[in-house]
Each structure stands twice: as structure tokens, then as C-alpha cells.
Amino acid sequence: MAVYPDLNGKVVIVTGGAGGIGEAIVRAFAGQGARVGVLDIDTVAGERLRAELGDAILFVTCDVTDIAGLKTAIGAVRQTFGPIDCLINNAAHDERHQTLEVTEAYWDGRIAVNLKHQFFAAQAVLPDMMAKGGGAIVNLGSCSWIIGQGGMAAYTASKSAVLGLTRSLARDFGEHGVRVNAVAPGWIMTARQLELWVTPETEKSIYENQCLKRRLVPDDVARMVVFLCSEDASAITNQHHIVDGGWN
């Protein structure tokens, strides 16, 4: 992975950072010398990561759908490491669901975990970035809505909205030097995907759709996220970056 010297010592928050794509992002920033606040509901995985990476990270148990708790967790990172330089809104849940069985409570829950927290996490760190005269926010979306994937309407609706949120924030805070971008992963072979959804038949379909005939892994997304937070991407904002092996 490329090294970006300007990221050394930066304070980064990664939501959903204890596993999957989020864990790869945390490891990537730690490797750059950044100080990383990891927010995740999975205490066991988070503590294991903290034990491995040591003082490079601060793990805070956090349910991102609890906005008051989310703000408290962000405050804990700020108190430990200082003002926030970069925010990675990664936490999400891609549970499949049938449209005719979705209740109002279920719908609201999907929006809360996949979209709502992204806005309020950004709201919580933007004053830090404005005071510094710069910062970077990366919102994780998904290619699922672009390809018209079925069986998860609440997920695809929330993930498509990530792009609108990203562009509004980029427009509103660009004058303060804050850059905001969205990253849309394709079918990334996390442990969860391999356990729950990927079969020989689905993997064959993936390779038929991708230009690149290989598995996409969490580090593929982490590389893009780290680049977007570095000064090498200092002129890049208000954009939607797709990491899907050429599916779209």
C-alpha cells in the first residue's frame, strides 16, 4: 500500500471498524501512522483489534443508531487523540429482506444503521475540520443500487441516498477546506459475505459481471479510502468512487 506522509499523526474515526471493510480501513490508517478511533457495536472484535494494534487505535463500543451514544463516542476519540481530521462513515448492515414483509420499524432501522448515522457523525466532526481549515469525510455507499439488486430495498434506498448526502456536504463545507467523497464497493469478499451469501454459483456470476476476474477484498476499498483522505487527493471532492472490479 502506498505511504502518504501527511497522514502520519492525523486523527481518524472509522465507524463499523472492528471487522470486514472497516477493519481493513483501520489497519490501513494505522499503517500510515494515523491515530484511529474505532467505533463498533462488536466489543469482542473491537477489543481484539485494539490489543493487536495497541496505542495506534482507540476502540469505543458504539451502536451508531443511538445518535447520543454516537456523539459521545466521537467525543471520547476527540478527548484522547484531539480534533478529528478524517471521518470514515463505514458502518452498515446489508441484511436481505422481502419488500412485502418490511414493517415501518424495520425500515426505520435500516435507514438508521445505513444512512442516518453518517449525517450525524459528520455533523459532530465538521466543527473540528472547520477550525483546522480542512479535513476529509468518506461515506461508504454500495454498488447494489446501481446494478438494481433486488431483495433489499431498504438497504439499496439508504445506500443510494449516501451519494446525495455526500454531495450536499461537499458543497456546503468546501469553502472551509473540507473534502467529502463517497466510495461504492462492489461485491467485496469479507468473511461475512463468504459465510452468508457467496456460493460457487454466485461467485461465477460475479466474475461474469466484473471486468477483473478475481475476488475483490477489503484492502481494495481501504486503498481508495486512504488515498481520498491524503493530500494526494487534495483537489478531489463531491465525487462517487466505485471499487467494483469494473462491474459498472
Side-chain angles (χ1 to χ4, degrees):
M1 187 175 291
V3 176
Y4 304 98
D6 57 279
L7 291 177
N8 186 55
K10 290 291 179 69
V11 179
V12 182
I13 286 179
V14 182
T15 68
I21 293 173
E23 180 184 348
I25 293 170
V26 170
R27 291 181 181 276
F29 275 111
Q32 299 288 335
R35 294 168 292 172
V36 189
V38 180
L39 278 52
D40 203 293
I41 199 170
D42 188 339
T43 300
V44 173
E47 290 294 348
R48 185 185 304 122
L49 189 61
R50 187 209 60 78
E52 179 182 346
L53 298 181
D55 293 341
I57 74 168
L58 173 70
F59 173 68
V60 185
T61 303
C62 177
D63 177 353
V64 297
T65 66
D66 174 3
I67 300 304
L70 173 64
K71 291 180 178 180
T72 298
I74 291 171
V77 176
R78 182 183 293 113
Q79 183 175 7
T80 301
F81 288 148
I84 312 304
D85 295 293
C86 307
L87 168 67
I88 316 303
N89 277 320
N90 166 76
H93 201 296
D94 65 346
E95 184 176 69
R96 275 54 169 173
H97 48 269
Q98 295 302 313
T99 294
L100 297 182
E101 298 173 2
V102 170
T103 64
E104 183 178 359
Y106 184 87
W107 174 272
D108 290 345
R110 296 305 92 189
I111 299 300
V113 72
N114 294 320
L115 175 66
K116 181 179 177 181
H117 87 275
Q118 294 200 6
F119 174 86
F120 286 101
Q123 184 187 66
V125 303
L126 278 164
D128 288 358
M129 297 179 181
M130 294 167 69
K132 285 172 172 276
I137 297 174
V138 179
N139 298 322
L140 272 290
S142 171
C143 284
S144 58
W145 67 272
I146 303 172
I147 65 174
Q149 184 170 333
M152 52 198 311
Y155 178 79
T156 54
S158 56
K159 283 300 189 178
S160 65
V162 168
L163 182 54
L165 172 62
T166 297
R167 291 187 165 169
S168 290
L169 294 177
R171 180 62 61 187
D172 288 345
F173 294 93
E175 65 182 278
H176 300 286
V178 179
R179 299 182 296 105
V180 190
N181 289 284
V183 171
W187 205 328
I188 308 299
M189 297 295 109
T190 63
R192 171 181 166 79
Q193 295 299 316
L194 291 169
E195 179 182 353
L196 295 179
W197 314 119
V198 178
T199 65
E201 292 73 24
T202 57
E203 191 157 23
K204 179 181 178 182
S205 175
I206 291 169
Y207 295 153
E208 287 173 350
N209 284 285
Q210 289 180 182
C211 296
L212 301 178
K213 310 306 179 184
R214 69 166 176 87
R215 284 186 171 185
L216 305 182
V217 297
D219 277 348
D220 291 319
V221 180
R223 289 186 176 93
M224 174 62 78
V225 171
V226 169
F227 164 70
L228 289 173
C229 290
S230 75
E231 286 302 310
D232 280 20
S234 62
I236 301 175
T237 192
N238 199 30
Q239 300 303 313
H240 190 214
H241 304 273
I242 298 174
V243 183
D244 72 346
W247 191 318
N248 289 281

